[in-house]
Amino acid sequence: RVVFLCWEEGSEGRSATCARSERDGGATSVAWCRDTGTVVVRFDAGAVCALEIDAAGDVRRRNWFDAFPCPATCAAFHRGSRRLALGTADGEIRVYDDAMTSEAAKPRHVFGLSPWGFGVEDTGALAHASWSNDGRALAVGWRRRGVSVWSESGCLLMCTLHHGGGDSAVGTSSSPRATFTGDEEVPEMGACLAPPAWGVGDYALFVPVRSESGSKVLEYALAKSVSNSRVAPRSYDGGCDHDDASLLLGDDRIFIVASSATSTRVHARQEVCPSEYVQRQWPMCVAGMSPSGDRVAVGGVRGCVVFDTRGECWSQLGDVEEENSFEAIAFDWMQPAPPTSGRQRSVLQPVLAIVARLGRTRMFTKSIKLSYGISFYADGGKGDLLMTMPLPSEATGVYACGEFLLVSFSNGEIAVYEVEETSSNVGAISAHHVREDAGLRRKTTLNAGGRVQGMCAVPPAAAPERAPSECVVLTEAGELFVVDLTDEYDQVKLFDDVAEFWVVGSANAPQEMMMQGDESSDFESDARDSLSVDGGCVFAYGAEGMRICYFPNGDLRQILINGATSCDVERAANNPELEFDRELYPMSVSLNMNRIIGVTQKFSFADAVDMPYFTIAPKSHTIVPYILRKLLSSGQHDAALRYARAARRQTPHFMHALEWLLFTALERSNREITSQTVLKQSIALLSELPNYLDVIVSVARKTDNTRWESLFKYAGKPSELCVKALKLKRIRIAACYILVVDKLEGETMGREIAVRVMRAALEAREYKLVEDLIKFLLQPADEAAKENQKPGIFKRVLEVIAPPPNSVIALGGRADRELALGEPEQLLLKSHVDSLGRERDVAAMGAFMSETSFDGVAYLKHETDENGEAYISDFAGSIELAARRLREGKLRRAASSQSSRTESLFLVDPTRAVGSKVESDATYVTSLLATAREAGCTDWSLLLATLLGRADVLNEFFTNEPALREPWMNIAKRVATNTSDATLKNHLTALVSDI
């Protein structure tokens, strides 16, 4: 039974019975919307009933959400939107648009943590849920552990469980997990104990959790996305080198998210509002950023402060009295219009326009009448108040389009005003309604009567100096419309379920620029081709992901004339290039930087805190693959090529964008016959870019080998691509093709290609790659061949090439048999070491023997005698030759690293580049010295000890063999006297002195 209580009278009022039968059990929770009379009740058995009760206590209608197949464990009802969220025993959240009309079997969204590796056995059933005050976010808590916040569109905004699966959750105890039977789940440390409570302005979330001391309340500070639907068109002159900045608003601070073309990362900058203002006007309620990004206005309960992003300073509008005289509703900046013939620039400086509630509130009375108006401040908000224009009714938003202002009102009306400089007073301005030819004011009213949440006007492409006549409007119901401001045509709905939108105006290039583009052959700087987005479009993000609506013939008014069916619409469901991380909430679109900027959560850990905490982590999602696919599908191959070449400079991780283009084309080609053409077009485009070989093999290695045949049907034979990579000295890229060649062209061709790559890797001294190739070329040893093996260095099959155990295990089915490297491959390796030994390149010899499984001890035992390739006949000459090779190696490294420090205090350079994984020369020479001593090779041991300056090793040899001391001293002194190498001379002189 639902009973209404009168607080004033303290008595029971009307009541109604909502249960169907006794099997539903008793009511466990109830929510009520007074305006509509809607009541939502959850019962013990897991069923949920939404019903409308009139003033007499009669039930007008009911809507049941049955407990089967999965019972509801909690229910959250938002009074404003009538949206209903049901938590279930399987750990999921099911969201319904309307509690009274939705069908139980058809939820609008289903949220859960299973995509991140958490099942019901990790989190337990969903225990608590609560909507934010504005209904744009849902906080949920599970019975066993975990709290998360979801946006209305299904984006995971926050989660207290560390991603990576069940046992990797952060913030829980390390004790063994408690078992449970049926509904008896034992909450772990950090589990949510009651419905999360939203703070003032939805800037904080309070969560009661279980702790070792019993229970406590955790507060999570949150930030809101500040919508900015304005998107700068593509720049044809290449002058734009930064993203349009985005804004997040906290209760006492702002976060500015921006990046530049030279940076691959997006940065979030935090600025705390002035403490005096925060103390008086907390919390911050509204914020806005100027189109140029140099001003940010923030309004609290009353008044406003402005942040100068370039000067990094705050300023306040007026004194405390003026601060208390208005309550900011929305901000925007009037920008000077471009000079045109026959018309002077109206606004000479950026002007901050503030739509606000004016006047002071009266105490001890309810009969207050608020007034509304627009205040204009000079110098983008840092100057004086220029004027205040009264408004006829409650305003909800403002949008500046050049010299014109669009103001939305609570009744759904949108009016257009013009701001211009007065002729009588320099610097003063005036504002008035824009009127049609018949004298009527330019305004319109939404047919649906919804409250405007955001709007963006598009200036006429033919005459930008004229007042806008079309506008894209987003209502609080999530509906996106194109509205005719002249009221000539009815509004046209574009999309439902929209949370954010961005409008791109027409960006037609000037004729003289197009002529220059036709004459230019520099593809690297040619971005003048007309793209689909250049004609104007609307990006819309919501429950269906990202959607794009293109203006017909580059004219937004054509949508009003011909209807929504005339639009070319792209959806993420049909374009995988538009899909992105479900944890990324988009904030802005940049066509000049070719990306969508968004934010996500990030766990941070610090020794000074007991628990991990969250930080804002900006991320970007490139739209290059989508634009390229759009151009290719419309037959504009040349335009796609020029765009790709121009985008290389401005797109971070450009190769990844090309990989995604090819990967999605390959995925779709296996499902759709018509997509074979798309795959062919994509490969044809990539073949004309310098990243072609990298992209092809990278996509091949990241996909199942069953799809390689489709890929290389158009890309070419993998063996030929491998050879091309070798000719371009792209040895590691060539090595990646070996497995593909082995799979598609047979084992024989695979081994042949592997040997060619090994030869090139030896020449380039890529010894770690050589070791990988050795593992690939190993094959089961032939017992008959073993008996006929010639004596010497190949007297044992695994003597020269001895693969470490892990490489044998990695060979799978071949691991149970003895493995060997073929004689031609062993001779190739030996001949390389022979050349290094003759050249006395001791650093390279040490690197080769350290990073490969070549048996250096066996080699030195066999090849250092009088007939061997590494025999030292001239010890003095060997010292000078080895020192020269070491010096040449240092010079090469200095040139490659562009370092001015080519001299070293040591003959063998003991340093290595910061961040480099390549060991230093000293490490390799020391390793070679250990190998030579193990092999009992005296000449090489003395040579290496001399180069390293190891007096201890030399003294050990001289102690064991005193006859070596005098010859060594004579040779060292003679070399120090005769050499022209000052470093070698000083090195030997000091070493002789030590000995």
Side-chain angles (χ1 to χ4, degrees):
R1 192 164 70 99
V2 178
V3 180
F4 293 86
L5 301 179
C6 179
W7 289 104
E8 294 180 352
E9 300 178 2
S11 60
E12 181 177 322
R14 68 186 188 275
S15 63
T17 301
C18 57
R20 293 174 297 186
S21 62
E22 293 184 357
R23 65 183 180 89
D24 291 328
T28 60
S29 65
V30 62
W32 173 48
C33 176
R34 178 175 181 176
D35 296 335
T36 61
T38 304
V39 179
V40 175
V41 183
R42 178 191 169 269
F43 296 91
D44 283 328
V48 174
C49 179
L51 62 157
E52 289 182 355
I53 304 176
D54 59 19
D58 297 328
V59 178
R60 291 198 295 263
R61 56 175 174 163
R62 290 184 175 90
N63 188 26
W64 281 92
F65 297 83
D66 289 321
F68 301 98
C70 190
T73 53
C74 66
F77 176 63
H78 187 256
R79 296 171 177 83
S81 62
R82 299 212 305 183
R83 195 177 286 123
L84 177 64
L86 300 181
T88 61
D90 57 6
E92 293 183 336
I93 312 103
R94 301 179 183 180
V95 180
Y96 300 88
D97 286 336
D98 193 319
M100 294 305 306
T101 60
S102 300
E103 297 182 29
K106 297 179 180 180
R108 184 65 175 175
H109 311 291
V110 178
F111 304 152
L113 296 180
S114 56
W116 290 273
F118 294 97
V120 65
E121 63 277 3
D122 298 302
T123 62
L126 203 121
H128 308 286
S130 62
W131 287 99
S132 61
N133 298 315
D134 60 5
R136 299 194 62 187
L138 176 68
V140 300
W142 283 269
R143 187 168 296 172
R144 170 171 287 169
R145 59 172 178 164
V147 176
S148 66
V149 179
W150 301 79
S151 73
E152 59 181 343
S153 57
C155 179
L156 180 59
L157 303 177
M158 187 200 82
C159 182
T160 60
L161 299 180
H162 189 270
H163 295 177
D167 292 335
S168 62
V170 174
T172 60
S173 67
S174 58
S175 58
R177 179 175 302 163
T179 60
F180 69 97
T181 303
D183 294 333
E184 297 298 326
E185 298 180 5
V186 179
E188 298 181 359
M189 296 298 173
C192 183
L193 301 178
W198 293 86
V200 177
D202 296 331
Y203 289 117
L205 184 68
F206 300 92
V207 183
V209 298
R210 182 188 177 195
S211 65
E212 294 181 357
S213 59
S215 61
K216 61 183 178 181
V217 176
L218 298 180
E219 177 187 358
Y220 295 95
L222 306 176
K224 291 183 179 181
S225 171
V226 178
S227 300
N228 180 15
S229 58
R230 183 186 288 112
V231 177
R234 271 202 321 143
S235 174
Y236 286 96
D237 58 3
C240 181
D241 62 347
H242 62 85
D243 279 337
D244 296 329
S246 306
L247 198 61
L248 288 169
L249 178 63
D251 63 336
D252 63 348
R253 68 196 65 202
I254 58 173
F255 297 86
I256 303 173
V257 180
S259 66
S260 64
T262 58
S263 174
T264 60
R265 298 183 60 186
V266 188
H267 303 277
R269 172 184 177 183
Q270 179 180 188
E271 297 292 342
V272 180
C273 299
S275 58
E276 299 83 359
Y277 180 77
V278 173
Q279 290 174 3
R280 294 191 302 265
Q281 308 297 348
W282 181 90
M284 303 300 102
C285 302
V286 62
M289 177 178 285
S290 64
S292 60
D294 59 347
R295 296 283 193 276
V296 178
V298 182
V301 175
R302 291 205 167 260
C304 171
V305 289
V306 177
F307 180 71
D308 185 344
T309 59
R310 295 178 181 175
E312 298 187 359
C313 60
W314 288 91
S315 60
Q316 184 173 338
L317 299 185
D319 53 16
V320 177
E321 182 178 358
E322 184 177 351
E323 173 186 301
N324 290 321
S325 65
F326 70 93
E327 176 185 349
I329 298 174
F331 305 105
D332 212 337
W333 280 259
M334 310 287 296
Q335 292 295 327
T340 57
S341 58
R343 180 179 174 89
Q344 297 297 322
R345 187 190 303 265
S346 296
V347 182
L348 298 181
Q349 60 181 349
V351 174
L352 171 61
I354 305 178
V355 173
R357 296 181 181 91
L358 304 176
R360 300 177 183 275
T361 57
R362 298 177 181 178
M363 300 291 289
F364 310 113
T365 178
K366 297 182 179 179
S367 60
I368 184 172
K369 181 178 180 181
L370 294 176
S371 61
Y372 297 85
I374 307 178
S375 300
F376 299 91
Y377 289 84
D379 193 18
K382 299 186 69 174
D384 298 330
L385 174 65
L386 299 177
M387 68 162 292
T388 297
M389 181 184 69
L391 295 175
S393 61
E394 180 184 359
T396 59
V398 64
Y399 182 86
C401 184
E403 303 169 346
F404 303 95
L405 275 181
L406 278 70
V407 181
S408 61
F409 298 91
S410 58
N411 60 356
E413 179 182 313
I414 300 174
V416 185
Y417 299 86
E418 183 178 8
V419 180
E420 58 185 2
E421 183 186 9
T422 59
S423 57
S424 59
N425 188 3
V426 178
I429 62 173
S430 64
H432 57 84
H433 287 281
V434 174
R435 297 190 178 273
E436 305 295 347
D437 296 336
L440 299 176
R441 294 189 302 168
R442 177 166 292 189
K443 66 175 184 176
T444 188
T445 303
L446 296 180
N447 296 338
R451 193 180 181 95
V452 175
Q453 179 174 310
M455 56 184 173
C456 181
V458 179
E465 73 281 357
R466 298 181 57 187
S469 56
E470 300 88 31
C471 180
V472 181
V473 176
L474 176 64
T475 67
E476 286 189 344
E479 297 175 319
L480 193 65
F481 293 95
V482 177
V483 177
D484 184 8
L485 298 174
T486 65
D487 244 2
E488 182 180 355
Y489 297 97
D490 292 334
Q491 64 192 32
V492 176
K493 181 190 289 188
L494 296 180
F495 301 117
D496 287 313
D497 273 340
V498 176
E500 305 283 351
F501 77 102
W502 304 269
V503 179
V504 183
S506 177
N508 295 322
Q511 290 296 323
E512 59 270 18
M513 185 174 291
M514 294 299 295
M515 292 176 62
Q516 295 173 4
D518 293 338
E519 296 172 0
S520 174
S521 60
D522 183 10
F523 287 125
E524 288 295 322
S525 61
D526 191 355
R528 304 183 179 93
D529 292 276
S530 178
L531 306 182
S532 301
V533 293
D534 291 340
C537 64
V538 178
F539 287 78
Y541 170 77
E544 297 183 27
M546 189 66 73
R547 292 165 285 181
I548 303 178
C549 175
Y550 294 97
F551 300 167
N553 301 321
D555 188 1
L556 180 60
R557 196 164 189 81
Q558 293 295 319
I559 299 178
L560 296 170
I561 298 173
N562 301 317
T565 56
S566 62
C567 302
D568 180 13
V569 177
E570 300 281 357
R571 303 177 186 273
N574 302 325
N575 292 274
E577 295 86 356
L578 292 178
E579 296 178 355
F580 48 85
D581 193 345
R582 289 185 60 189
E583 293 178 273
L584 176 67
Y585 191 85
M587 296 181 61
S588 65
V589 176
S590 174
L591 295 182
N592 288 299
M593 298 292 105
N594 307 303
R595 51 191 170 189
I596 297 172
I597 305 297
V599 290
T600 184
Q601 71 159 11
K602 182 180 179 181
F603 262 125
S604 291
F605 301 87
D607 296 336
V609 296
D610 297 332
M611 297 182 62
Y613 57 94
F614 297 105
T615 59
I616 294 175
K619 293 178 65 176
S620 63
H621 176 82
T622 179
I623 58 175
V624 168
Y626 168 73
I627 294 179
L628 290 176
R629 176 67 51 79
K630 187 73 174 175
L631 290 171
L632 292 174
S633 61
S634 60
Q636 302 181 62
H637 175 85
D638 294 338
L641 178 61
R642 283 188 286 269
Y643 171 77
R645 286 171 166 167
R648 281 178 55 201
R649 305 187 313 274
Q650 299 174 323
T651 306
H653 310 295
F654 178 71
M655 181 175 166
H656 175 71
L658 298 182
E659 289 179 11
W660 186 248
L661 171 70
L662 181 58
F663 177 78
T664 54
L666 182 61
E667 287 285 312
R668 297 175 66 179
S669 67
N670 291 327
R671 299 193 302 264
E672 306 172 13
I673 301 299
T674 56
S675 296
Q676 290 285 340
T677 303
V678 178
L679 176 61
K680 183 178 180 181
Q681 291 172 340
S682 301
I683 293 177
L685 171 68
L686 296 175
S687 65
E688 301 187 57
L689 296 174
N691 309 85
Y692 176 62
L693 297 173
D694 311 53
V695 173
I696 293 294
V697 74
S698 179
V699 172
R701 296 295 295 270
K702 294 175 183 178
T703 56
D704 191 83
N705 57 21
T706 57
R707 297 175 181 171
W708 288 355
E709 188 173 351
S710 299
L711 174 61
F712 288 95
K713 176 182 178 181
Y714 302 108
K717 296 179 65 175
S719 58
E720 296 176 356
L721 298 177
C722 181
V723 172
K724 287 182 181 179
L726 290 176
K727 290 181 179 179
L728 296 172
K729 306 298 183 182
R730 309 286 298 280
I731 301 173
R732 290 194 170 273
I733 297 300
C736 293
Y737 279 96
I738 294 176
L739 288 179
V740 183
V741 175
D742 185 77
K743 173 69 176 179
L744 298 182
E745 301 184 44
E747 183 179 352
T748 302
M749 179 59 71
R751 294 184 63 83
E752 179 181 336
I753 288 295
V755 171
R756 294 186 64 172
V757 175
M758 179 185 284
R759 186 175 288 108
L762 290 171
E763 293 176 1
R765 300 184 180 181
E766 294 277 356
Y767 296 133
K768 291 184 178 179
L769 176 58
V770 171
E771 173 64 10
D772 292 335
L773 294 169
I774 290 174
K775 296 175 184 178
F776 175 81
L777 290 169
L778 287 175
Q779 56 185 348
D782 187 357
E783 297 298 332
K786 288 177 61 178
E787 294 178 0
N788 298 327
Q789 198 70 248
K790 67 179 182 180
I793 194 168
F794 296 118
K795 60 185 177 181
R796 289 192 300 111
V797 174
L798 297 181
E799 184 175 28
V800 176
I801 304 300
N806 60 342
S807 67
V808 177
I809 294 175
L811 295 174
R814 297 190 293 167
D816 58 344
R817 305 174 63 182
E818 188 178 12
L819 302 173
L821 192 66
E823 184 175 330
E825 291 80 15
Q826 294 204 44
L827 287 174
L828 175 62
L829 297 174
K830 180 181 178 301
S831 63
H832 178 72
V833 183
D834 290 344
S835 65
L836 296 179
R838 288 192 297 269
E839 296 173 3
R840 303 298 186 255
D841 196 340
V842 292
M845 285 183 68
F848 179 80
M849 294 181 183
S850 298
E851 296 180 353
T852 70
S853 47
F854 187 86
D855 194 340
V857 174
Y859 175 83
L860 291 177
K861 284 181 178 179
H862 189 274
E863 296 296 327
T864 53
D865 57 13
E866 187 173 357
N867 297 322
E869 296 290 341
Y871 176 66
I872 298 178
S873 59
D874 181 3
F875 192 82
S878 295
I879 293 177
E880 292 191 78
L881 181 58
R884 189 183 312 124
R885 292 289 179 264
L886 289 170
R887 173 69 55 147
E888 291 171 355
K890 286 193 289 186
L891 291 175
R892 282 196 304 269
R893 284 192 299 276
S896 63
S897 63
Q898 299 181 349
S899 172
S900 58
R901 183 176 179 267
T902 58
E903 295 294 329
S904 174
L905 297 177
F906 303 94
L907 181 62
V908 182
D909 193 353
T911 63
R912 62 177 178 179
V914 176
S916 173
K917 294 183 180 180
V918 180
E919 298 294 340
S920 65
D921 287 349
T923 303
Y924 291 133
V925 178
T926 302
S927 174
L928 183 60
L929 172 61
T931 302
R933 296 186 69 181
E934 183 181 352
C937 183
T938 303
D939 290 350
W940 273 91
S941 298
L942 292 175
L943 173 64
L944 296 171
T946 302
L947 295 173
L948 288 169
R950 293 288 300 276
D952 57 329
V953 175
L954 293 173
N955 280 323
E956 183 179 343
F957 270 97
F958 298 155
T959 301
N960 297 330
E961 299 183 52
L964 295 175
R965 180 186 182 90
E966 191 63 27
W968 182 91
M969 294 287 287
N970 294 334
I971 293 174
K973 291 177 181 179
R974 185 172 72 250
V975 173
T977 302
N978 298 332
T979 184
S980 58
D981 188 338
T983 303
L984 178 60
K985 181 176 182 177
N986 295 335
H987 175 80
L988 292 177
T989 301
L991 185 60
V992 169
S993 176
D994 291 341
I995 296 299

